[in-house]
């Protein structure tokens, strides 16, 4: 592109998307996220960057999603999606941060530097898919994204209001048409179609029933389920609430994050005891289950539970189809309840690896297995199938030819079910809609009531706290964030505290999304977990420069 036309780009940027704030903004674990009114210039610039990224990837399509996920309505954000439908490569996060923060005067030179640094051939075509959530600020930001793309002569394609995982799916399909068709219909055909095909092979039995209540967090996920609901042919009887009508505010007292963190049911839930229910987050990439027991207490089935349900069922199908050469593994973070890890390793006998918080870390670790199940306790997760696993399962399902043995009709039937399970899975990123269908399929196959699902193991009581310190980066961690290496003396102190409690475990880490330090503790009783968390918080306060009030021990 000749320099003169670039001048116009930057003049336009200054006119239309001036940087009107000096607040430093960082591309965090899941993109940029802050108050929506600080974001227009950032999103425009990310449109420029997306074009550069697409060209570095030889013109393959990349994605931009306008959302602030489970944050409240006034916030918004932008995430970039790489050509395989995965999150933006980590080394580009620093580049994105630099471009977002330069002054308007330096935008031109910085963009030129970046183009040089990443060796982008600006004569190539560039294609950028853009999606947005239901926030009232999203359309303006999506327009800023498209203007950024157009400015560098890329081609934007807007998908309107979609879930984050749908956009990831579209990007992958656009670059690999074997995966599916990059449209909303293509998504429903593949994912919902596989669920229906699965159900047709397995009639409802046992204690499973098809009624499911779903809290849509007043966001996009509930709206999409409302569309899907009509095409389920009675295989699932969805009762949706918090769909954004009646003044319901996005993520306010509802949604997966609220249910998980507050350990209480969402506003608007009217559930009979033992009724199975789920909650999505605002952009539809997280899901947790819950029910109210006979004591009127909520029982939560979080990401760890969904992971164990899916890993257990997929491992069973693998055995049933005689594909023992295909290995399966599970990936968690330090936040996974210790009881779940114990259950998976000792009972399911599936290997577990633990990685740092953040989807990109889990996703990468899951790729090391033939079939890798990953979930964060907060309900974000999916299942990845290697090309080899896909091909082998399909071949067993089709004609019974296995690389090891020739399979019999029962093995073939199991492989066919596993094919549907794989097709139901959005393998690009955690997807609440796809995870919901997967969990329902596994419960149906096992004839399982939600209360029996919950009885598979008993969560250790746990507590999370957050606290303010002068500089959260004084805390550094190792061993997948389970140990800290600085400040000096903190880990020794945590070890001493943990040793006082049965089944005690605790760790601290600086948040990647907020200016705080997070504390996690678990132990064999509620009081022990609460006390351990408070003691560890005090240690952090004393040794890592706490601000404000020193945490107090529970009464
Ligand atoms: C982001 C991450 C999520 C992680 C959370 C941790 C993605 C798509 N999302 O929401 O995986 O659990 O950050 O937040 O990667 P924290 O660093 O504040 O604890
Ligand atoms: Mg989300």
């Amino acid at each position: 592109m000749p320099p003169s036309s670039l001048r116009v780009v930057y003049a336009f940027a200054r006119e239309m998307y001036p940087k009107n704030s000096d607040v430093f903004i960082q591309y965090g674990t899941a993109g940029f996220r802050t108050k929506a009114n600080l974001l227009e210039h950032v999103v425009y610039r990310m449109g420029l960057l997306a074009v550069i990224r697409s060209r570095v990837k030889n013109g393959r399509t990349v994605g931009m999603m306008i959302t602030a996920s489970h944050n409240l309505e006034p916030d918004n954000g932008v995430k970039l999606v790489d050509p395989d439908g995965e999150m933006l490569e980590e080394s580009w996060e620093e580049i994105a941060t630099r471009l977002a923060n330069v002054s308007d005067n330096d935008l031109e030179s910085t963009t030129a530097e970046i183009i040089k640094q990443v060796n982008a051939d600006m004569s190539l075509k560039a294609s950028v898919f853009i999606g947005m959530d239901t926030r009232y600020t999203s359309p303006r930001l999506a327009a800023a994204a498209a203007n950024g793309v157009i400015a560098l002569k890329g081609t934007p394609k807007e998908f309107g209001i979609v879930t984050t995982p749908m956009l990831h799916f579209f990007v992958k399909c656009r670059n690999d048409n074997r995966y599916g068709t990059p449209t909303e219909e293509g998504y429903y055909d593949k994912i919902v179609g596989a669920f229906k095909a699965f159900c047709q092979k397995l009639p409802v039995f046992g204690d499973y029933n098809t009624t499911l209540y779903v809290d849509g967090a007043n966001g996009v996920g509930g709206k999409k389920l409302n569309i899907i609901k009509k095409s389920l042919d009675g295989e699932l009887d969805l009762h949706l609430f918090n769909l954004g009508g009646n003044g319901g505010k996005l993520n306010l007292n509802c949604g997966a994050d609220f249910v998980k963190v507050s350990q209480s049911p969402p506003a608007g839930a009217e559930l009979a005891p033992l009724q199975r229910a789920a909650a999505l987050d605002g952009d539809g990439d997280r899901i947790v289950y819950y029910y109210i027991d006979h004591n009127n207490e909520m029982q939560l089935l979080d990401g760890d539970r969904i992971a164990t349900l899916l890993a257990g069922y997929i491992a069973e199908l693998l055995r049933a189809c005689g594909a023992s050469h295909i290995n399966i593994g599970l990936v968690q973070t330090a936040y996974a309840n210790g009881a779940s890890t114990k259950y998976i390793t000792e009972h399911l006998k599936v290997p577990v690896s633990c990685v740092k918080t953040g989807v990109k870390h889990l996703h990468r670790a899951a790729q090391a297995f033939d079939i890798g199940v990953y979930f964060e306790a907060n309900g974000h997760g999916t299942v990845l199938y290697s090309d080899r696993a896909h091909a082998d399962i399909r071949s067993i399902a089709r004609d019974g030819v296995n690389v090891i043995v020739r399979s019999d009709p029962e093995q073939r039937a199991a492989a066919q079910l596993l094919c549907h399970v794989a097709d139901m899975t959005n393998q690009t990123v955690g997807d609440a809609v796809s995870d919901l269908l997967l969990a329902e399929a596994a419960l149906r196959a096992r004839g399982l009531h939600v209360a029996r699902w919950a009885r598979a193991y008993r969560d250790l009581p746990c507590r999370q706290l957050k606290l303010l310190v002068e500089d959260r980066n004084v805390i550094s961690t190792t061993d997948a964030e389970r140990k800290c290496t600085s400040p000096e003396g903190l880990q020794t102190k945590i070890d001493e505290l943990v040793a006082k409690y049965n089944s005690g475990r605790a760790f601290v880490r600086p948040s990647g999304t907020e200016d705080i330090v997070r504390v996690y503790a678990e132990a064999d009783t509620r009081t022990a977990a609460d006390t351990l968390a408070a003691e560890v918080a005090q240690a952090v306060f004393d040794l890592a420069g706490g601000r404000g009030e020193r945490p107090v021990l529970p009464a």
Side-chain angles (χ1 to χ4, degrees):
M1 205 182 296
S4 58
S5 69
L6 277 178
R7 292 274 135 71
V8 179
V9 170
Y10 303 108
F12 178 81
R14 204 168 296 136
E15 281 309 313
M16 294 297 293
Y17 299 110
K19 181 169 180 290
N20 51 13
S21 147
D22 286 333
V23 179
F24 182 80
I25 175 159
Q26 193 169 354
Y27 197 98
T29 5
F32 293 107
R33 206 181 283 184
T34 185
K35 295 279 164 277
N37 59 359
L38 299 177
L39 274 171
E40 268 191 53
H41 71 282
V42 175
V43 174
Y44 176 81
R45 292 168 180 203
M46 288 308 104
L48 305 178
L49 190 67
V51 171
I52 298 171
R53 182 75 184 150
S54 171
R55 290 192 174 128
V56 164
K57 293 287 173 185
N58 278 325
R60 293 173 85 210
T61 295
V62 299
M64 294 179 75
M65 181 69 198
I66 308 296
T67 180
S69 185
H70 54 275
N71 290 31
L72 293 177
E73 184 93 38
D75 287 358
N76 215 326
V78 57
K79 300 186 202 185
L80 298 187
V81 179
D82 262 354
D84 288 327
E86 295 166 16
M87 296 173 69
L88 176 68
E89 184 183 300
E90 221 171 324
S91 63
W92 277 59
E93 292 178 6
E94 186 270 323
I95 298 173
T97 303
R98 182 153 44 111
L99 192 61
N101 287 288
V102 289
S103 68
D104 287 334
N105 284 340
D106 291 337
L107 184 59
E108 179 174 356
S109 58
T110 305
T111 311
E113 275 164 33
I114 291 171
I115 290 170
K116 195 155 167 236
Q117 177 192 341
V118 300
N119 206 6
D121 177 351
M122 296 303 278
S123 67
L124 292 178
K125 285 187 175 160
S127 149
V128 182
F129 282 5
I130 301 170
M132 63 178 171
D133 71 11
T134 53
R135 286 163 211 267
Y136 63 86
T137 53
S138 290
R140 273 184 80 87
L141 292 175
N147 275 325
V149 173
I150 292 164
L152 285 189
K153 307 255 181 303
T155 309
K157 180 173 164 76
E158 294 198 53
F159 285 82
I161 297 173
V162 288
T163 67
T164 298
M166 285 169 95
L167 185 81
H168 284 253
F169 175 93
F170 301 152
V171 170
K172 181 168 172 76
C173 292
R174 177 66 185 78
N175 294 313
D176 175 3
N177 58 17
R178 292 168 310 165
Y179 192 68
T181 311
T183 60
E184 191 155 337
E185 292 74 22
Y187 173 91
Y188 297 141
D189 283 351
K190 179 168 185 197
I191 289 181
V192 184
F195 176 74
K196 288 199 287 183
F198 179 95
C199 291
Q200 274 155 23
K201 293 206 169 84
L202 277 187
V204 170
F205 84 103
D207 296 330
Y208 176 79
N209 70 66
T210 54
T211 305
L212 175 69
Y213 281 69
V214 186
D215 161 18
N218 293 314
V220 51
K223 291 190 182 298
K224 298 301 178 191
L225 277 180
N226 216 4
I227 298 171
I228 292 170
K229 180 184 152 133
K230 300 180 182 89
S231 65
L232 285 169
D233 303 341
E235 301 295 4
L236 199 53
D237 183 16
L238 292 177
H239 295 253
L240 307 171
F241 60 101
N242 293 336
L243 292 181
N246 305 323
K249 287 265 183 293
L250 181 68
N251 299 321
L252 186 65
N253 299 325
C254 63
D257 198 60
F258 171 83
V259 174
K260 167 78 180 156
V261 174
S262 70
Q263 314 233 352
S264 45
E270 281 170 26
L271 297 178
L274 304 188
Q275 171 57 57
R276 192 170 73 253
L280 317 185
D281 79 335
D283 64 334
D285 66 354
R286 287 192 197 177
I287 181 169
V288 296
Y289 274 74
Y290 65 96
Y291 68 95
I292 310 295
D293 68 15
H294 282 305
N295 300 322
N296 208 23
E297 279 174 24
M298 189 190 88
Q299 299 299 330
L300 175 71
L301 296 111
D302 62 6
D304 300 342
R305 292 282 173 175
I306 300 172
T308 52
L309 177 72
L310 299 185
Y313 180 54
I314 294 169
E316 182 184 304
L317 283 178
L318 272 179
R319 277 193 298 275
C321 65
S324 54
H325 63 290
I326 297 179
N327 70 45
I328 174 167
L330 202 143
V331 185
Q332 302 185 310
T333 70
Y335 288 105
N337 197 280
S340 74
T341 315
K342 194 161 179 258
Y343 175 79
I344 298 158
T345 38
E346 293 179 8
H347 184 82
L348 297 181
K349 305 217 181 305
V350 168
V352 177
S353 50
C354 181
V355 299
K356 276 163 57 172
T357 302
V359 172
K360 58 190 172 219
H361 304 296
L362 289 116
H363 195 94
R364 200 177 315 129
Q367 287 170 328
F369 299 102
D370 292 329
I371 301 183
V373 181
Y374 73 80
F375 263 88
E376 291 192 307
N378 63 26
H380 185 116
T382 187
V383 186
L384 306 182
Y385 297 75
S386 68
D387 287 346
R388 179 177 85 130
H390 259 297
D392 283 3
I393 297 164
R394 285 203 195 288
S395 127
I396 301 171
R398 202 173 42 242
D399 49 22
V401 178
N402 181 335
V403 277
I404 310 286
V405 285
R406 177 161 279 276
S407 53
D408 60 33
E410 271 169 36
Q411 292 176 323
R412 220 169 295 168
Q416 283 164 5
L417 288 177
L418 193 47
C419 285
H420 295 320
V421 169
D423 286 343
M424 221 182 287
T425 311
N426 184 344
Q427 293 185 45
T428 60
V429 78
D431 180 335
V433 169
S434 155
D435 290 340
L436 179 151
L437 298 176
L438 283 166
E440 292 300 314
L443 292 173
R444 177 179 177 126
R446 299 205 146 159
L448 211 53
H449 188 276
V450 68
R452 201 145 63 79
W453 175 20
R455 277 201 296 275
Y457 63 85
R458 207 167 67 85
D459 271 323
L460 286 167
C462 62
R463 178 63 61 201
Q464 286 194 48
L465 297 175
K466 34 184 173 179
L467 77 161
L468 296 169
V469 294
E470 287 303 329
D471 173 9
R472 72 190 199 277
N473 294 318
V474 298
I475 296 188
S476 22
T477 64
T478 181
D479 188 21
E481 304 177 320
R482 289 173 291 192
K483 294 252 175 292
C484 57
T485 46
S486 72
E488 215 182 312
L490 181 56
Q491 188 56 46
T492 314
K493 183 70 189 166
I494 295 174
D495 291 341
E496 275 169 33
L497 294 169
V498 165
K500 297 193 299 178
Y501 298 92
N502 286 331
S503 306
R505 188 170 72 89
F507 64 90
V508 302
R509 54 176 282 276
S511 159
T513 61
E514 292 175 68
D515 190 12
I516 51 162
V517 174
R518 295 196 195 279
V519 173
Y520 176 92
E522 65 187 29
D524 64 342
T525 65
R526 158 86 9 244
T527 316
D530 289 351
T531 313
L532 177 57
E535 287 174 343
V536 171
Q538 288 188 337
V540 174
F541 189 91
D542 296 340
L543 295 169
R547 277 197 286 143
E549 282 178 31
R550 190 166 185 266
V552 288
L553 296 180

